[in-house]
Amino acid sequence: MELCRETPEDEWEVEALLDLCFAPGRTALSSYRLRDGVAAARDLCLVARGAAGEVAGAIRFWPVRVGAHDAMLLGPVAIHPTRQGEGLGAYLIQSGLDRAAVAGVNRVLLVGDAPYYGRFGFAPLAGVTMPPPTNPARVLGCWDWDGITGDVVRALP
């Protein structure tokens, strides 16, 4: 497995993987509204390629704001169906978080299952609101969220 920073040349393959892994209406999700017109944090976005060069998995990060505070929105994370169950998702998440820490990112949030993401340090964020119709119990964050509340909004381009 080769883990590389996602480049613009990878975009069509990553988008094809996302289409394969998620429902056809994935771009209608509220988290996609936070990404509209905002460039991904390319230094944190990763692609995992198998021995034949195929895209086996990908993770992306997007800058957002919560009140006056910067944060990174983690997601989507996608693993090709033929590679699921190998630990690749956990590897991508931890690798992405490691890169974010080195880059000086102070806080990361996502929408997901607390039992799964808790092992990476994510916990429910009381008072941090994603655009509707997001279930508030699925809004999770890690690192420096003490005292930070408010709506999650797009970062200025």
Side-chain angles (χ1 to χ4, degrees):
M1 187 69 56
E2 180 182 12
L3 188 62
C4 303
R5 186 177 144 265
E6 182 183 339
T7 67
E9 292 77 28
D10 298 319
E11 186 168 358
W12 72 270
E13 289 178 284
V14 172
E15 288 296 320
L17 175 66
L18 296 174
D19 287 343
L20 176 66
C21 293
F22 298 107
R26 71 179 169 90
T27 60
L29 296 172
S30 61
S31 58
Y32 275 83
R33 300 297 64 80
L34 297 170
R35 300 172 184 142
D36 287 343
V38 178
R42 288 284 181 207
D43 288 342
L44 306 180
C45 298
L46 301 171
V47 175
R49 291 189 177 273
E54 77 283 5
V55 172
I59 186 171
R60 287 180 169 165
F61 288 80
W62 304 82
V64 293
R65 305 265 305 157
V66 179
H69 303 278
D70 293 327
M72 282 291 166
L73 176 63
L74 187 160
V77 179
I79 307 302
H80 193 281
T82 61
R83 302 304 297 261
Q84 291 178 3
E86 298 176 3
L88 184 53
Y91 179 63
L92 282 170
I93 293 164
Q94 191 60 62
S95 297
L97 290 173
D98 290 347
R99 284 181 179 237
V102 168
V105 172
N106 293 322
R107 61 198 59 84
V108 178
L109 76 151
L110 57 79
V111 177
D113 297 321
Y116 178 81
Y117 289 101
R119 63 181 154 158
F120 303 104
F122 285 89
L125 290 176
V128 174
T129 307
M130 287 285 288
T134 306
N135 177 347
R138 293 177 50 83
V139 179
L140 310 175
C142 69
W143 302 341
D144 185 16
W145 287 96
D146 290 340
I148 297 175
T149 60
D151 294 336
V152 180
V153 298
R154 288 181 15 196
L156 298 175

